[in-house]
Amino acid sequence: MENKARGGRIFSLGLQHVLAMYAGAILVPLLVGRALNLTGEQLSYLVAIDLLTCGIATLLQAWKTRYLGIGLPVMLGSSFVAITPMIGIGNQYGLGAIYGAIIAAGLFVAVFAGWFGKMIKLFPPVVTGTVVVVIGLSLIPTGIKNMAGGATSPEFGSLHNLLLSFGVLALILIINRFFTGFMRSLSVLIGILAGTIVAALMGKVNLAAVSEASWFHLPQFFAFGMPEFRIAPILTMIIVCMVIIVESTGVFLALGRVCDQKLTPQDMTRGYRTEGIAIVLGGLFNAFPYNTFAQNVGLVELSRVKTRNVIVMASGILVVLGLVPKIAALATVIPAAVLGGATVVLFGMVVASGIRMLTEVNFQEQRNLLVVACSISLGIGATVVPELFAGLPSALRIIVSDGTITGSLSAIVLNLFFQATSRLTRPAAATETIEPVERIREQISS
């Protein structure tokens, strides 16, 4: 009986992680599939295979071995960074070129994971804290739009949507204030379920997607045709994957801090290698490049449940959802306003984690202030005004098309700049202070 109760708790916590990342996981295939004019059947396959591959990739990352897995409670999902490049490659070269580029880029990441692992030296607290803050702040606009009903909703900002979203937010806060233990750890899941029930009573839940979905679905290699390996798409996707690595680095370090685990270059190498293999799987099954989801870091922080068995359960749930589309469709009926009320808490927790990391930074040094100020300004600026870089060549536009990427790269480059220039100026400054003393000593001795 006790084992059943424990299993039920682990399942509930795993389901909470799945619901926290579900909207992002299915949004990428929907956006890419519709932009490439896929049929309804192809679109259903794309969503299902994406969930299945998310589950496999998450399990690989959580299951720490000598060569694979970072061993943290992480959730992997399809990367938003790859949306625009995939659509561009598909329109110009076709679906085969998309997946050939994904496979090649994934192999590149897996092979050079050891080199990427050494990048941890480029991430002192001033960089990691800034990157995590930028990630959280970049996610918040999505959560706020969902609170209003979703950016494309005809009822955007309606009273019903606001009542739903703020009701979910209030319930999560009340549970965290007045409950402890298991009840508190499930606050987000309880908020989402309660909000969906209320929305159903208001007539805002449409079950058509559930009735139309099939009961079982088998994955297959190269469902959209054999991959094509073309130089330009491959180079583009390698750039995308390197950007994904930068984003995942910040998430790894933030989660390591939450779990009181100091990550080594070897840990990072295993994490990068696993992401590379996950990206290859995405190409083989006609899915997507994958990266670590930041919103689940906020959930770990909020629930205070840091065990990997919960993530293993979450990965199993994703695999089942990928194999049984009818069950997967149940999660799609959750109204955007309900998800918005829940995710805005998680996104805010990501920001709070970054701020906590920045408390270790010495802000008496002007260079640290400048790194944080410029990086957050550029990161949020690119998020709010995405057309800022519209005039750049497409290769450069891919790199700075996302506020998280812009802010992260700014923090890394500025920190390196100040470190390099301080080394150049320090000897000169030391000479200026020492030479007069030596002259005085010479005068006294003479």
Side-chain angles (χ1 to χ4, degrees), residues 118-352:
K118 297 176 182 178
M119 288 199 314
I120 194 171
K121 298 176 182 178
L122 306 180
F123 290 86
V126 68
V127 174
T128 55
T130 302
V131 168
V132 174
V133 169
V134 171
I135 290 172
L137 291 176
S138 299
L139 289 170
I140 285 175
T142 302
I144 295 297
K145 289 176 183 177
N146 282 333
M147 289 184 76
T152 60
S153 173
E155 297 183 356
F156 185 86
S158 68
L159 181 60
H160 288 161
N161 286 331
L162 294 179
L163 287 174
L164 273 176
S165 57
F166 279 100
V168 171
L169 174 59
L171 180 58
I172 292 172
L173 294 176
I174 289 170
I175 292 174
N176 276 275
R177 175 63 182 86
F178 294 104
F179 293 87
T180 58
F182 183 64
M183 187 72 172
R184 175 189 285 176
S185 65
L186 284 180
S187 60
V188 175
L189 177 60
I190 294 171
I192 290 175
L193 292 178
T196 303
I197 292 171
V198 173
L201 296 175
M202 297 168 61
K204 291 186 170 296
V205 174
N206 186 358
L207 297 175
V210 179
S211 61
E212 294 173 1
S214 60
W215 276 105
F216 188 71
H217 167 87
L218 277 176
Q220 61 184 95
F221 288 113
F222 311 129
F224 298 147
M226 294 299 292
E228 299 177 14
F229 299 95
R230 298 173 179 265
I231 296 298
I234 288 174
L235 292 177
T236 299
M237 199 58 64
I238 285 175
I239 294 173
V240 169
C241 288
M242 291 181 71
V243 169
I244 289 173
I245 288 296
V246 172
E247 186 176 353
S248 293
T249 300
V251 179
F252 286 157
L253 293 171
L255 195 51
R257 185 64 56 87
V258 172
C259 297
D260 300 318
Q261 181 175 333
K262 187 175 181 180
L263 299 178
T264 65
Q266 292 74 25
D267 293 324
M268 303 299 283
T269 296
R270 287 195 301 272
Y272 297 145
R273 186 178 293 122
T274 305
E275 288 209 354
I277 292 174
I279 292 168
V280 172
L281 285 175
L284 293 175
F285 286 112
N286 290 157
F288 302 91
Y290 291 95
N291 73 324
T292 307
F293 267 26
Q295 52 262 51
N296 290 86
V297 178
L299 184 55
V300 173
E301 178 87 12
L302 187 65
S303 67
R304 300 178 185 177
V305 177
K306 306 169 186 178
T307 55
R308 284 182 292 166
N309 57 356
V310 171
I311 298 301
V312 172
M313 176 62 72
S315 66
I317 293 172
L318 284 170
V319 169
V320 172
L321 291 176
L323 294 173
V324 187
K326 192 172 286 290
I327 298 177
L330 283 172
T332 66
V333 305
I334 301 173
V338 173
L339 281 176
T343 54
V344 75
V345 182
L346 304 181
F347 299 160
M349 290 298 291
V350 176
V351 177

Side-chain angles (χ1 to χ4, degrees), residues 54-100:
C54 281
I56 296 172
T58 297
L59 182 60
L60 289 174
Q61 194 66 283
W63 185 25
K64 186 176 181 179
T65 66
R66 183 177 178 182
Y67 300 104
L68 295 177
I70 198 164
L72 292 171
V74 299
M75 294 289 293
L76 271 72
S78 44
S79 173
F80 283 84
V81 177
I83 292 177
T84 302
M86 286 184 69
I87 293 172
I89 294 171
N91 286 330
Q92 186 171 353
Y93 298 98
L95 290 174
I98 293 177
Y99 295 110

Side-chain angles (χ1 to χ4, degrees), residues 348-369:
M349 290 298 291
V350 176
V351 177
S353 296
I355 293 173
R356 187 168 63 182
M357 295 168 76
L358 288 174
T359 58
E360 300 180 8
V361 177
N362 179 14
F363 284 110
Q364 297 299 318
E365 294 189 18
Q366 183 74 5
R367 65 179 186 180
N368 289 333
L369 285 172

